[in-house]
Amino acid sequence: LGWYITKHRKMFARKRILELGCGLGFCGIVAAAATEASSVCLSDGDPMMVAATKCNLKVNNGHTRCPVDVAHIHWENCDQRPA
């Protein structure tokens, strides 16, 4: 998916990206770094993955082109929305 994002950068221009179940955040960080997206929100239901994603984002934050948020979302609760 990361390769696809880099090959289709224009598709993401001026878009707000929400990655559901981001795991370690690789694809969302690629989108934030390699495209002209307006913002990226990385989300996962596993608190350990959210913590790992925050670490990965911190390491790569100097390379992102847009604001990136990380959200812990319990998908069983459909009323909860990312910040």
Side-chain angles (χ1 to χ4, degrees):
L1 186 53
W3 178 86
Y4 181 88
I5 291 167
T6 61
K7 294 298 179 185
H8 298 90
R9 296 170 195 222
K10 292 180 183 178
M11 174 188 285
F12 301 94
R14 298 178 309 279
K15 303 286 191 220
R16 297 181 315 175
I17 298 171
L18 171 61
E19 184 175 4
L20 305 173
C22 69
L24 298 174
F26 174 75
C27 293
I29 293 170
V30 168
T35 74
E36 297 295 331
S38 62
S39 66
V40 174
C41 179
L42 308 174
S43 67
D44 204 288
D46 182 340
M48 292 179 69
M49 291 294 101
V50 171
T53 298
K54 287 180 180 180
C55 288
N56 287 338
L57 181 59
K58 186 175 181 180
V59 169
N60 291 287
N61 201 30
H63 302 287
T64 59
R65 298 179 178 194
C66 66
V68 181
D69 294 312
V70 180
H72 178 219
I73 299 176
H74 294 281
W75 298 114
E76 303 85 38
N77 182 353
C78 296
D79 294 333
Q80 186 178 7
R81 298 176 189 200

